[in-house]
Amino acid sequence: MNLFAALLFRNRLAAAGAVVLSIIGILALLTPVLPLQDPYTTHMGSRYLLPLSPGHFLGTDGLGRDLLSRLMWGTRLSLAVGVVAAVGAGTIGSAVGIVAGYFGGRTDNIIMRFVDMLMGFPYILLALAIVAVLGPGLMNALIAVAAVNVPFFARNIRGITVGLAHREFVDAARLSGKGHLKILVTELLPNALPVIVIAMSTTIGWMILETAGLSFLGLGSQPPQADLGSMLGEARSAMITSPHTSMVPGAMIFLIVMSINLLGDGIRDALDPRLRSGALARPMAATLVRRKTVPGPTGEGLLRLDDLSAQFHVGKRVYRAVSEVSLALAPGECVGLIGESGSGKSVTALSVMGLVASPPGVITGGAARLEGEDLIGAPYERLRSLRGSRVAYIFQDPLATLHPLYKIGDQLAEAIRCHHPISRSEARKRALKLLADVHMPNAAARLDVFPHELSGGMRQRVGIAMALANEPDVIIADEPTTALDVTVQAQILALLDELRRARGLAILFITHDFGVVGQLCDRVAVMYAGRIVEEGPTAEVLAAPAHPYTARLIACVPELGAGRRRLPAIPGLPPAVDRLPEGCAFAPRCEKATEACTKGEIVLSGAQRRWRCIHPEPVA
Ligand code: ADP
Ligand code: MG
C-alpha cells in the first residue's frame, strides 16, 4: 500500500487529481453541516445576482436561489450517482465477465452475444431508451447509465479471465477439490481485481458526465432537486444574459471529471505490475553510473574490465551482483566466464555496454575499456554507436531476442542498416552472406522465414549472424548454447571457434559448463557470488584448479569412458548477494575453510594464474 501511494504520487498529474478530488469529496460530504443557505428557497426579488453579491458568494439563479448552496448539494448528488453507477456497473459487469470467461463454451457464447448486442446500440441512445421506458427521474437515470456500462466491464473482465482460467493454479485449485464458486471467488477474482478497480476508476468520470447529460435533457433529477446536469439545464435559457449560472456547474463538472480521469490514469499506472517493479521511471538508455574514482588500466587488452562493480538498489536493499571484477580480452582470444546461475556473469557482461536496466542497476565502480577508451559513463550516443558495431552480444534464447513478426532477412538487414547507411537491397545481400557464413542450410530461402519457423540451432545461427552483422571486434556470448541439445551445441561451438580464428574476433564466452570451456576457451575466469575466484589458462586450470570451488565445479563434469565414479554435488547454496558474508563467500560450503577464511578481505593473488583463496589446492 505504501509503495502504491509512493508510485501514485510520483505522477504529478495524478497527485493533483487526487488533491482536487479529495477537496471536492470532503466538501461534498460536509455539505449538510456547512453554514449554507437552503438550496430550495426562492427569492423572486434577487434573481440572477452576480457572484460576490452580499450574502450570495456565487450569486443566484433564475429563481433567486443561492448558487453556492445549490452547487454543493448538486455536486454531492452527482458524485454519489457517479460512484453508485460505477460500482453497480462494475460489480454486475465483472461478475458476468468472470462467469463467461471461466465456464467458456456455450455459457460464454450466449452471455457474450447478448453483451455484444447491447454494445451494438449507440451508448447514449440506449441510455435514453432505458429512461424512456422507466420514466424520467434520477434513480432511473442511474440505472440507465449503469446498464449501458455493464457490457464494457463484462468484455474487459471476460478477456482477463479467459487468460487466467487455463493457468496451472486454477487447475491446482480444481484438483484440490474446490467448487466453481470458490474458485471464482478465491482464485480468479483476486487476480482480476486490479483490472476491475482500474476500469472503475477510469469510468466514474464518464458516468458522472452521462448522468449529467441525462439530467441536462430533463430526464434525470427532477426539480426542485438538482444535480450538476440539471443545474446546467435550468441555466440554459439564461446562457447569454447571466452566463455565471451555467459556468458554475459547468466548471464543477469539468473539475470533477478531469481530476477523476487524471487520478484513474495514475492508479492504472501504479497498479500495473510491469511498471511497478521498475518503479514508474522507465529504464534509462544506459546504466546509471555512480563511481567515485576511476581506476587506471592494470594491463593490456582489446577489452578490459578493471575492478568493475555493479549493484542493484531495490528500496533499502543493495544486491552486490558484481564486485571488483577485472578481466582482459586480447584480439582473437576466447575467454570463458564460468559460474553458477546468479553468480553475476550476465550483469558483468551487460555492464560493459551500459545495458543493465536502471533502475535498479547501478555501476558503482571500476572501468570497462575498449582499446583504452572507458565505456563506463560514456555518453549514450557514444555507447549506441559502439553497441552492435564494435561489441556485439549473443544471447541464450534467440526466440526471445528475435522479433516474432519480422522475417529473418529483414531483421538482419535492419541490424546492418542501424550502423551502415546502405540500401535495402544491398543490406539484403549482406544478410544472405551472413547466413551463409554461419552455415545456415539453404540460406537464400531462410531470409524470408519467421523466427518460429526455424529450429533452435538455426535460430542461434541467426543470433550469431546478427552479432556478426557489423563486423565487431568483440563478441559477448551469454550462454549461447544452454538452450540447445548437445549435438547442436557442438556445432555452434565449432562455428564460433571457426569465426574467431577466421576474423580475429575476441570472444567473452559465458557459460556454467566446464565441458564447453574446455572445448573453446583459451583462458577461463571462475565467478562466485559476484567475484572472480580463479583465473588462468584453461588447460592449466582444468589440470590443476587452485580454488576449492573450481575443483568442485570440475569434479561435477562427467567424462565419457572415464569409468564409473561418483559425481559429487557441492553441498549448500550460494549466498544471497544482498547479504554477502565477510571473508570468502564460498567458505560456508568449503571443506577446507578455517577461522581465517571468514575474516577480512581475501585478495586475488598471483599473476598469470590468479586465485582468491588462502588454502589453495596444490598447483604445479
Ligand atoms: P548469472 O551469473 O546467472 O548470469 P546474473 O548476472 O543474471 O547471474 O545475476 C547476478 C545477481 O544479480 C543475481 O544474484 C541476481 O539475484 C541479481 N539480480 C539480477 N537482476 C536483479 C534485479 N533486477 N534486482 C535485484 N537483483 C538482481
Ligand atoms: Mg545469466
Side-chain angles (χ1 to χ4, degrees):
M1 197 59 212
N2 227 338
L3 175 68
F4 171 72
L7 282 177
L8 185 61
F9 284 101
R10 189 179 299 194
N11 182 340
R12 294 256 172 79
L13 286 174
V19 170
V20 172
L21 193 63
S22 340
I23 294 176
I24 296 177
I26 292 173
L27 285 178
L29 279 180
L30 293 182
T31 300
V33 298
L34 290 180
L36 290 169
Q37 301 175 25
D38 181 65
Y40 304 122
T41 314
T42 57
H43 260 285
M44 293 322 262
S46 47
R47 298 171 64 206
Y48 292 124
L49 285 185
L50 287 178
L52 302 183
S53 306
H56 300 288
F57 182 67
L58 289 178
T60 56
D61 69 358
L63 295 175
R65 296 174 291 196
D66 181 54
L67 263 184
L68 177 64
S69 162
R70 286 182 70 75
L71 178 74
M72 294 314 304
W73 284 96
T75 303
R76 194 173 145 87
L77 200 55
S78 281
L79 275 180
V81 170
V83 172
V84 172
V87 171
T91 312
I92 299 174
S94 307
V96 170
I98 284 196
V99 168
Y102 173 69
F103 288 103
R106 191 171 295 166
T107 319
D108 183 34
N109 237 326
I110 294 174
I111 295 181
M112 291 328 281
R113 291 307 79 77
F114 183 70
V115 165
D116 286 345
M117 226 161 62
L118 285 181
M119 282 183 124
F121 288 98
Y123 218 67
I124 203 81
L125 265 189
L126 185 61
L128 283 175
I130 296 175
V131 180
V133 171
L134 299 178
L138 193 58
M139 197 59 203
N140 295 343
L142 190 158
I143 292 173
V145 168
V148 298
N149 278 291
V150 164
F152 163 77
F153 281 95
R155 270 238 154 270
N156 228 337
I157 302 308
R158 176 203 172 255
I160 306 286
T161 314
V162 166
L164 292 169
H166 298 288
R167 296 270 293 277
E168 287 76 1
F169 69 91
V170 178
D171 290 341
R174 223 173 265 143
L175 284 178
S176 75
K178 281 191 183 174
H180 289 313
L181 185 65
K182 198 138 194 215
I183 292 181
L184 284 177
V185 174
T186 61
E187 306 291 328
L188 292 174
L189 185 61
N191 283 291
L193 205 54
V195 183
I196 299 176
V197 171
I198 291 165
M200 271 190 205
S201 65
T202 45
T203 46
I204 289 185
W206 187 227
M207 296 202 190
I208 290 179
L209 217 49
E210 282 166 9
T211 326
L214 289 178
S215 292
F216 179 80
L217 297 175
L219 300 171
S221 68
Q222 300 298 312
Q225 192 191 42
D227 69 352
L228 293 172
S230 53
M231 280 178 76
L232 258 185
E234 285 164 14
R236 193 167 30 170
S237 54
M239 187 104 93
I240 309 292
T241 48
S242 301
H244 69 275
T245 46
S246 13
M247 256 146 92
V248 165
M252 184 54 97
I253 292 179
F254 172 79
L255 271 183
I256 293 177
V257 175
M258 192 73 187
S259 58
I260 288 182
N261 286 352
L262 289 177
L263 181 63
D265 278 355
I267 291 178
R268 186 192 52 211
D269 285 356
L271 280 182
D272 188 329
R274 281 164 304 178
L275 300 178
R276 195 162 32 171
S277 56
L280 265 184
R282 309 289 186 270
M284 306 196 299
T287 312
L288 184 68
V289 176
R290 233 185 260 147
R291 58 178 180 181
K292 294 193 185 72
T293 56
V294 182
T298 48
E300 300 284 295
L302 172 62
L303 175 70
R304 61 167 305 115
L305 312 181
D306 294 301
D307 289 333
L308 187 70
S309 299
Q311 305 180 340
F312 293 95
H313 294 182
V314 185
K316 287 204 180 66
R317 295 208 157 180
V318 174
Y319 295 84
R320 282 179 284 164
V322 174
S323 307
E324 290 156 24
V325 164
S326 299
L327 202 62
L329 266 162
E333 188 182 33
C334 179
V335 173
L337 188 59
I338 188 169
E340 278 169 273
S341 183
S343 54
K345 309 180 296 289
S346 296
V347 175
T348 306
L350 294 173
S351 300
V352 173
M353 281 283 138
L355 289 170
V356 178
S358 288
V362 188
I363 293 179
T364 50
R369 294 188 170 85
L370 184 69
E371 289 185 326
E373 177 190 355
D374 189 7
L375 302 178
I376 303 298
Y380 169 66
E381 269 311 314
R382 179 68 189 142
L383 284 177
R384 204 184 70 82
S385 73
L386 294 175
R387 287 176 184 173
S389 73
R390 301 286 314 274
V391 179
Y393 286 83
I394 305 171
F395 292 103
Q396 175 174 344
D397 181 6
L399 192 55
T401 39
L402 290 172
H403 196 299
L405 300 182
Y406 286 96
K407 292 174 180 160
I408 299 296
D410 295 338
Q411 299 194 45
L412 280 169
E414 188 191 24
I416 299 167
R417 278 155 53 95
C418 191
H419 289 287
H420 300 280
I422 58 174
S423 75
R424 221 169 258 282
S425 59
E426 228 172 307
R428 208 176 149 81
K429 251 181 254 158
R430 287 212 44 197
L432 180 60
K433 165 115 189 3
L434 283 170
L435 283 188
D437 285 352
V438 297
H439 305 312
M440 175 71 91
N442 201 358
R446 302 280 193 231
L447 280 179
D448 289 312
V449 304
F450 292 97
H452 69 268
E453 299 176 75
L454 297 175
S455 72
M458 286 196 245
R459 277 200 290 268
Q460 196 50 291
R461 283 178 198 271
V462 176
I464 296 174
M466 193 89 101
L468 292 174
N470 293 294
E471 314 209 314
D473 305 308
V474 180
I475 284 193
I476 298 180
D478 192 348
E479 312 212 27
T481 59
T482 307
L484 306 175
D485 62 62
V486 271
T487 43
V488 180
Q489 163 167 320
Q491 292 168 11
I492 296 287
L493 292 182
L495 170 65
L496 279 174
D497 203 41
E498 174 197 322
L499 288 170
R500 96 173 152 109
R501 287 182 205 285
R503 302 181 178 222
L505 275 174
I507 300 182
L508 180 63
F509 194 93
I510 297 175
T511 177
H512 57 251
D513 184 349
F514 249 116
V516 173
V517 169
Q519 278 178 51
L520 189 66
C521 301
D522 307 312
R523 278 187 309 121
V524 61
V526 182
M527 260 187 116
Y528 188 78
R531 290 169 176 273
I532 290 189
V533 294
E534 175 157 13
E535 193 201 329
T538 309
E540 286 178 34
V541 173
L542 279 178
H547 198 286
Y549 177 63
T550 319
R552 303 295 295 264
L553 269 189
I554 293 173
C556 293
V557 181
E559 268 175 84
L560 274 184
R564 285 160 66 98
R565 69 180 169 100
R566 277 182 70 110
L567 287 181
I570 308 175
L573 288 172
V577 287
D578 57 333
R579 272 167 286 143
L580 282 182
E582 203 190 330
C584 175
F586 186 61
R589 300 169 78 186
C590 182
E591 19 183 65
K592 299 176 108 182
T594 58
E595 251 328 277
C597 291
T598 57
K599 292 210 171 60
E601 163 99 20
I602 293 166
V603 292
L604 196 60
S605 54
Q608 180 67 2
R609 281 199 64 182
R610 303 185 291 165
W611 52 78
R612 193 187 292 277
C613 184
I614 48 181
H615 306 296
E617 309 274 339
V619 174

